[in-house]
Amino acid sequence: CYQERDNKDKSIEILQKALEASSNRRELHYAYGKALLTMSDIPPETLEYHFKRAYSPSDRNYEAQLLYARQLFINGNYQDSKNIFKELRYAKLPFDLKSKPRYPLESVYQGAIYQVEATYCFIRRDGIFDKIYCHENNVESIIWKAMAMGSRVKFKLGFNMHGPIAIDVSMLV
């Protein structure tokens, strides 16, 4: 009720009390983690902790797994994040649900186009030099047509069941 009324503080307080009473309940860890996502000053390790406990490896709570993999990625644990996304890729979900970018980060990144194909490309992110997938559906058509190997771009990151994905892509001038 408090979440529906946009009373974040009271919602988090209630979820904390519930977790104190029953710390093994996956759905409470999930709800608490989701509530904490709306806060700006939460330590990333706290989110990782709750999303890790929001599911068990054999269950179908794919959203909790996505949020856990996302948090691992944010925290710099790229290999473990990649392993979870590799499993999520095979989740029995509709294609649109699996590929739609969600949970965008506020940060803006820069990089260079590393590989270009007919409907997608990879961007090598500056500083970290990881390859970020970018689908043409997440780029304005005029920008997509101008993209070529080596083009410099800025972008935000969203996440889908396949991993991090570039969104809000624009050319650097």
Side-chain angles (χ1 to χ4, degrees):
C1 290
Y2 289 118
Q3 286 176 338
E4 288 176 9
R5 293 181 185 147
D6 205 28
N7 189 340
K8 295 175 190 173
D9 294 334
K10 192 67 174 171
S11 171
I12 287 172
E13 178 186 329
I14 297 295
L15 288 166
Q16 280 176 327
K17 288 179 182 178
L19 276 170
E20 288 170 10
S22 185
S23 63
N24 291 331
R25 302 280 307 268
R26 290 183 190 100
E27 63 274 10
L28 289 176
H29 283 285
Y30 176 70
Y32 188 61
K34 289 268 297 196
L36 291 177
L37 272 179
T38 64
M39 309 294 281
S40 60
D41 57 346
I42 303 301
E45 299 80 22
T46 300
L47 290 169
E48 181 179 330
Y49 173 84
H50 289 289
F51 288 131
K52 181 177 185 175
R53 282 151 186 78
Y55 74 96
S56 65
S58 62
D59 74 20
R60 291 185 181 158
N61 189 347
Y62 299 126
E63 197 72 15
Q65 293 176 53
L66 170 67
L67 287 167
Y68 179 54
R70 173 189 182 267
Q71 197 59 47
L72 287 171
F73 184 89
I74 292 168
N75 294 354
N77 191 340
Y78 302 116
Q79 189 57 50
D80 287 346
S81 173
K82 190 176 188 175
N83 292 339
I84 294 170
F85 281 124
K86 189 185 260 186
E87 291 178 25
L88 285 172
R89 190 172 295 143
Y90 299 107
K92 294 182 190 270
L93 295 169
F95 178 78
D96 291 349
L97 189 59
K98 285 171 68 167
S99 59
K100 179 183 176 188
R102 291 176 283 176
Y103 304 109
L105 301 181
E106 291 299 316
S107 301
V108 176
Y109 302 93
Q110 294 183 6
I113 303 298
Y114 173 74
Q115 176 183 346
V116 181
E117 300 296 336
T119 59
Y120 66 93
C121 69
F122 285 97
I123 303 169
R124 188 166 304 270
R125 195 163 48 141
D126 290 350
I128 300 170
F129 304 111
D130 55 351
K131 292 190 295 186
I132 303 296
Y133 177 81
C134 175
H135 194 275
E136 74 173 320
N137 291 346
N138 299 319
V139 181
E140 290 183 38
S141 63
I142 193 164
I143 294 171
W144 179 257
K145 291 174 184 173
M147 292 170 68
M149 283 283 286
S151 297
R152 300 281 304 153
V153 294
K154 65 180 180 177
F155 58 97
K156 290 187 175 185
L157 285 176
F159 296 84
N160 64 23
M161 296 298 179
H162 299 275
I165 184 169
I167 57 174
D168 299 334
V169 179
S170 60
M171 301 295 279
L172 283 174
V173 284

